[in-house]
Amino acid sequence: MSRAERKKDHIQHALNSVTENSNSFDDVRFVHNSLPETSVSQINLSVSIGELMLSSPIIINAMTGGGDKETERINESLAACARDSGTAMAVGSQMAAFKDPAVKRTYSIVRKVNQKGLIFANLGSELTLDQAKRAVDMVEADALQIHLNVIQELVMPEGDRDFQGALETIAHISSSLEVPVIVKEVGFGVSSEAVKALKETGAAAVDIGGKGGTNFAVIENQRREEPYSFFNEWGLSTAVSLAEAVHSASKELSVIGSGGIRDGYDLAKAIALGADACGIAGRVLAAANDGGKEKAERYIQHCLHELTIIMAALGADSIQQLQSVPLVITGRTRDWLLDRGIH
Ligand code: FNR
């Protein structure tokens, strides 16, 4: 299967798997506040990730580029949605554009459509500094996402088998590139130990990309004759991974929560668990696929509206205040965190 066909396949499988309705956020509950002492008009959704200022905590996370006309059309819709909702957006892995320069425009369309917004470039951890610079230039990016996708590679029959040197590469790129580096998982979560190691690299942020939404083990296993089924259940759930990451992160390393975020309620819970911002991929893709830019933008605006209302209910005027409201954690998330000594 060619790279372009695989990308199309990913989009189709991801769209089919967006139906998962329960995830680790269901273990997280807010404590009702009868005296919030705020008003809806007072709520401020702006956040910062290192030096980047975002008007809201939502990032349309890395998905596509590099395929055919269809991927270009999706990126165009997502970019217009990002522009009109003031949302940051990442493009999908740009390695495809280095292998086939003809597909560059499926990425650069994003900057053409959204000239002033925040755009993140994206490459895997096997990147070189030269590729990092070219990827940033291609979309005039404000940051570079370096994705970690060990499980996806292992399940892919043609995937990588050697994962040595990723930390060193991340440190080298972080210290040499002019824009900040965001290290991200793609749906298996990042542990407290991995976050400790990433703190030493100079990366500006870690996007924990937890389990509970798009599942690349399931997607890639569908293409294997003998599936590695054990990886379908692998990984840290988004709630667990957020708690683990926040436990180990420092002021210098922002934490982005992502993986299965469905709505404003999940956004609020991710932030209350300590996320500085949140990424959404699969559900925005589904909306864009269904009704183009308009439906994707309606979905994002609805999420932001729900988040605002929830913040008013909790008496949190800012994202920073939402990060410290009381929470009750139950079920498997509580068991995991107790077992790991994270409270
Ligand atoms: C992705 N994701 C992804 N991530 C990345 O860093 N580079 C990439 O090229 C891609 N490609 C990609 C394609 C498609 C079709 C989807 C749905 C996703 C992963 C994505 O950014 C995110 O980490 C996960 O999808 C988890 O978030 P959701 O989908 O559960 O919100």
Side-chain angles (χ1 to χ4, degrees):
M1 184 184 276
S2 74
R3 185 182 281 265
E5 281 169 336
R6 202 173 73 228
K7 285 192 179 276
K8 256 175 103 168
D9 216 37
H10 279 168
I11 292 176
Q12 214 40 57
H13 283 306
L15 288 171
N16 295 340
S17 68
V18 163
T19 47
E20 193 168 345
N21 277 325
S22 72
N23 69 23
S24 57
F25 288 116
D26 302 334
D27 286 342
V28 180
R29 305 289 297 271
F30 288 113
V31 178
H32 170 58
N33 180 357
S34 303
L35 295 164
E37 294 289 339
T38 190
S39 80
V40 172
S41 64
Q42 216 165 292
I43 307 297
N44 179 349
L45 294 182
S46 65
V47 297
S48 59
I49 301 171
E51 66 194 51
L52 303 170
M53 309 297 289
L54 284 70
S55 61
S56 88
I58 298 183
I59 297 162
I60 299 175
N61 228 343
M63 280 181 281
T64 197
D68 53 9
K69 270 268 160 216
E70 182 62 12
T71 41
E72 187 173 338
R73 193 187 57 79
I74 291 174
N75 263 352
E76 192 174 359
S77 297
L78 293 175
C81 164
R83 178 194 63 209
D84 294 349
S85 58
T87 307
M89 170 184 170
V91 295
S93 175
Q94 290 162 272
M95 204 49 96
F98 300 144
K99 304 222 157 116
D100 175 10
V103 300
K104 255 191 199 166
R105 62 167 202 291
T106 64
Y107 300 96
S108 51
I109 183 90
V110 169
R111 179 52 86 192
K112 213 165 140 196
V113 169
N114 183 10
Q115 295 186 359
K116 296 202 183 111
L118 284 182
I119 293 175
F120 303 160
N122 185 289
L123 283 172
S125 59
E126 71 283 7
L127 80 173
T128 63
L129 179 58
D130 177 58
Q131 288 171 335
K133 287 180 177 164
R134 283 160 61 203
V136 167
D137 286 349
M138 199 185 301
V139 292
E140 295 167 49
D142 302 283
L144 170 70
Q145 289 185 331
I146 300 181
H147 67 254
L148 308 174
N149 65 339
V150 171
I151 301 300
Q152 182 185 6
E153 294 290 344
L154 285 172
V155 181
M156 277 163 56
E158 71 280 28
D160 291 343
R161 291 292 179 268
D162 182 354
F163 307 105
Q164 299 173 93
L167 269 178
E168 203 180 318
T169 304
I170 291 166
H172 175 52
I173 307 280
S174 300
S175 64
S176 315
L177 203 63
E178 279 182 9
V179 297
V181 164
I182 300 169
V183 179
K184 82 179 275 284
E185 246 295 346
V186 301
F188 300 92
V190 179
S191 68
S192 148
E193 290 83 352
V195 168
K196 269 190 203 138
L198 287 171
K199 270 200 303 198
E200 308 301 317
T201 64
V206 56
D207 176 340
I208 59 95
K211 180 173 171 300
T214 305
N215 186 329
F216 277 102
V218 172
I219 290 172
E220 300 292 355
N221 264 328
Q222 287 169 5
R223 300 200 291 117
R224 282 190 74 85
E225 258 172 46
E226 289 176 10
Y228 292 165
S229 311
F230 43 90
F231 281 142
N232 291 349
E233 289 304 311
W234 199 269
L236 290 84
S237 75
T238 300
V240 155
S241 181
L242 263 174
E244 291 222 2
V246 169
H247 182 72
S248 290
S250 56
K251 259 209 202 120
E252 289 72 42
L253 186 73
S254 299
V255 175
I256 299 169
S258 75
I261 291 185
R262 297 163 291 191
D263 49 28
Y265 195 23
D266 286 348
L267 282 172
K269 289 177 180 179
I271 293 164
L273 283 165
D276 297 301
C278 295
I280 309 181
R283 291 203 178 235
V284 195
L285 178 68
N289 188 63
D290 236 29
K293 176 250 173 185
E294 275 69 32
K295 190 149 184 198
E297 193 189 348
R298 229 178 304 138
Y299 168 70
I300 296 281
Q301 298 289 11
H302 187 64
C303 286
L304 291 175
H305 171 74
E306 287 179 332
L307 176 62
T308 305
I309 294 297
I310 291 166
M311 286 171 70
L314 293 167
D317 289 347
S318 66
I319 295 297
Q320 232 174 355
Q321 285 180 17
L322 180 59
Q323 285 176 318
S324 51
V325 300
L327 284 177
V328 174
I329 297 177
T330 58
R332 294 175 72 178
T333 306
R334 177 191 169 85
D335 293 346
W336 178 295
L337 296 178
L338 282 175
D339 207 49
R340 294 271 286 158
I342 295 168
H343 302 285

